[in-house]
Amino acid sequence: MINFNGILQDSDTNLLEQNRGFLYGDGVFETLKIVDGKILFFEDHYFRLMAAMRIVRMEIPMNFTLEYLEEQVLSLVKKNKIEQSARARITVYRNDGGFYLPTNNTVSFLIQTSAIVDPVYSISEKEYEVDLYKDFYIPKQLLSTLKTTNKMIHVTGSIYAKENDLDNCILLNDSKNVVEALQGNLFMRMGNTLITPPISEGCLNGIMRKQILSLAKKETNLEVVEQVISPFDLQKADELFVTNVIRGIQPITKYRKKEFEQDTAKVLNTILKQHLGMV
């Protein structure tokens, strides 16, 4: 028997009791965007998921091929009649058993989907204000670069942002350098240089981050670099923006008393749409 919300019940009726993703954050995930029945950047997502599973020593099932997982996602969005514009999340978690030490490294997975109103990447004209979140810091380590089911810093940071009427927060690492935003990677433009923190600083190895770095190097005259960003650099920047696969590019319009341009974000958004055939 267990006690669930004050009610005694048989333990085998509650799926959470032994779930390692729930108990220990023993899981990894990918968030995908589907447009017109196609998963954007799926090969990049797939290889990042496989790399994360290897790093945390999960056993990769023989049937976990790119084609298999793609079919699983697309069949679900089709079943839910949202294949024209949807987001999906694949969560892979180690199977039940053990405490900190698992009894085995086999896995199960869960796919969830929901509709997206506008599939096309666009730049919002609304004010988007951010500030630093300094209650907790991201450690500079390999685990920080993975999408794991332990996202307590991002959860508490999101609550802090809401309580302070902010649209997002910028996270720092244990060296007090800029890492990323709550919902994506951070880019900063100073003059003709586009800068984003290197993975070694503890930022997420973002799929859209990879796309923007590549497109900016190939399609613009910007100098594109990965280098450490301090909080003091932010107020000297000409432009700041956040990237993730669902939103694309989100310009930051205000950080503390500084207001920012959006020119580079708009140019890169146009290039991104052209690259994906969204124009």
Side-chain angles (χ1 to χ4, degrees), residues 70-81:
E70 182 178 37
E71 192 277 330
Q72 297 301 306
V73 172
L74 293 180
S75 64
L76 182 58
V77 294
K78 186 175 182 180
K79 181 71 173 179
N80 290 333
K81 299 180 180 179

Side-chain angles (χ1 to χ4, degrees), residues 133 153-163 166 169 182-183:
Y133 179 60
I153 293 177
H154 298 73
V155 171
T156 56
S158 297
I159 296 170
Y160 173 87
K162 182 178 180 181
E163 290 174 344
L166 299 167
C169 281
L182 292 170
Q183 298 96 3

Side-chain angles (χ1 to χ4, degrees), residues 185-247:
N185 292 104
L186 184 74
F187 283 80
M188 175 180 75
R189 180 176 64 81
M190 281 188 168
N192 197 51
T193 303
L194 185 65
I195 307 165
T196 195
I199 298 299
S200 58
E201 286 296 290
C203 67
L204 176 69
N205 187 12
I207 301 301
M208 186 56 71
R209 174 187 184 275
K210 177 182 177 180
Q211 304 302 318
I212 295 304
L213 282 172
S214 176
L215 292 173
K217 289 175 182 177
K218 293 178 182 177
E219 305 290 341
T220 75
N221 62 357
L222 293 168
E223 178 186 3
V224 182
V225 297
E226 298 177 55
Q227 69 181 39
V228 174
I229 298 175
S230 79
F232 303 104
D233 294 328
L234 298 177
Q235 289 184 308
K236 297 184 290 183
D238 297 303
E239 193 167 351
L240 297 172
F241 58 85
V242 179
T243 64
N244 65 50
V245 162
I246 300 300
R247 182 71 185 85

Side-chain angles (χ1 to χ4, degrees), residues 36-55:
D36 295 332
K38 179 182 178 182
I39 305 173
L40 302 186
F41 321 115
F42 186 61
E43 187 171 292
D44 289 331
H45 281 289
Y46 174 78
F47 286 114
R48 184 173 69 172
L49 178 62
M50 295 302 104
M53 291 177 68
R54 290 189 184 98
I55 290 168

Side-chain angles (χ1 to χ4, degrees), residues 20-247:
R20 295 187 60 85
F22 169 70
L23 294 174
Y24 305 113
D26 191 2
V28 294
F29 70 97
E30 288 290 323
T31 303
L32 314 171
K33 184 168 184 174
I34 296 95
V35 178
D36 295 332
K38 179 182 178 182
I39 305 173
L40 302 186
F41 321 115
F42 186 61
E43 187 171 292
D44 289 331
H45 281 289
Y46 174 78
F47 286 114
R48 184 173 69 172
L49 178 62
M50 295 302 104
M53 291 177 68
R54 290 189 184 98
I55 290 168
V56 300
R57 291 174 168 76
M58 289 178 173
E59 183 179 312
I60 300 176
M62 291 294 292
N63 68 338
F64 258 39
T65 64
L66 185 147
E67 294 78 14
Y68 173 77
L69 290 177
E70 182 178 37
E71 192 277 330
Q72 297 301 306
V73 172
L74 293 180
S75 64
L76 182 58
V77 294
K78 186 175 182 180
K79 181 71 173 179
N80 290 333
K81 299 180 180 179
I82 55 174
E83 65 266 33
Q84 296 306 307
S85 180
R87 67 184 290 160
R89 170 171 161 151
I90 306 174
T91 305
V92 179
Y93 54 92
R94 212 179 314 259
N95 285 330
D96 297 355
F99 297 99
Y100 287 156
L101 176 64
T103 55
N104 66 83
N105 292 313
T106 62
V107 298
S108 294
F109 70 93
L110 173 69
I111 302 176
Q112 303 158 276
T113 65
S114 59
I116 295 177
V117 175
D118 186 2
V120 178
Y121 289 130
S122 60
I123 296 293
S124 173
E125 298 296 329
K126 294 181 180 178
E127 182 178 281
Y128 196 86
E129 184 175 358
V130 307
D131 205 339
L132 299 178
Y133 179 60
K134 298 185 289 186
D135 288 359
F136 304 105
Y137 299 97
I138 292 179
K140 288 197 295 184
Q141 62 176 7
L142 183 58
L143 281 177
S144 299
T145 72
L146 309 180
K147 298 199 77 168
T148 73
T149 52
N150 184 350
K151 289 292 183 182
M152 194 56 72
I153 293 177
H154 298 73
V155 171
T156 56
S158 297
I159 296 170
Y160 173 87
K162 182 178 180 181
E163 290 174 344
N164 289 276
D165 295 322
L166 299 167
D167 296 289
N168 209 331
C169 281
I170 294 172
L171 303 176
L172 305 175
N173 63 21
D174 41 18
S175 296
K176 308 300 187 293
N177 290 320
V178 170
V179 179
E180 60 194 10
L182 292 170
Q183 298 96 3
N185 292 104
L186 184 74
F187 283 80
M188 175 180 75
R189 180 176 64 81
M190 281 188 168
N192 197 51
T193 303
L194 185 65
I195 307 165
T196 195
I199 298 299
S200 58
E201 286 296 290
C203 67
L204 176 69
N205 187 12
I207 301 301
M208 186 56 71
R209 174 187 184 275
K210 177 182 177 180
Q211 304 302 318
I212 295 304
L213 282 172
S214 176
L215 292 173
K217 289 175 182 177
K218 293 178 182 177
E219 305 290 341
T220 75
N221 62 357
L222 293 168
E223 178 186 3
V224 182
V225 297
E226 298 177 55
Q227 69 181 39
V228 174
I229 298 175
S230 79
F232 303 104
D233 294 328
L234 298 177
Q235 289 184 308
K236 297 184 290 183
D238 297 303
E239 193 167 351
L240 297 172
F241 58 85
V242 179
T243 64
N244 65 50
V245 162
I246 300 300
R247 182 71 185 85

Side-chain angles (χ1 to χ4, degrees), residues 120-123 125 208 212 215-216 219-220 239 241 247-251 262-279:
V120 178
Y121 289 130
S122 60
I123 296 293
E125 298 296 329
M208 186 56 71
I212 295 304
L215 292 173
E219 305 290 341
T220 75
E239 193 167 351
F241 58 85
R247 182 71 185 85
I249 300 172
Q250 173 60 62
Q262 300 183 37
D263 298 344
T264 303
K266 291 178 178 178
V267 168
L268 286 170
N269 184 70
T270 299
I271 294 171
L272 177 64
K273 290 195 296 182
Q274 291 171 343
H275 179 69
L276 294 171
M278 289 183 172
V279 178

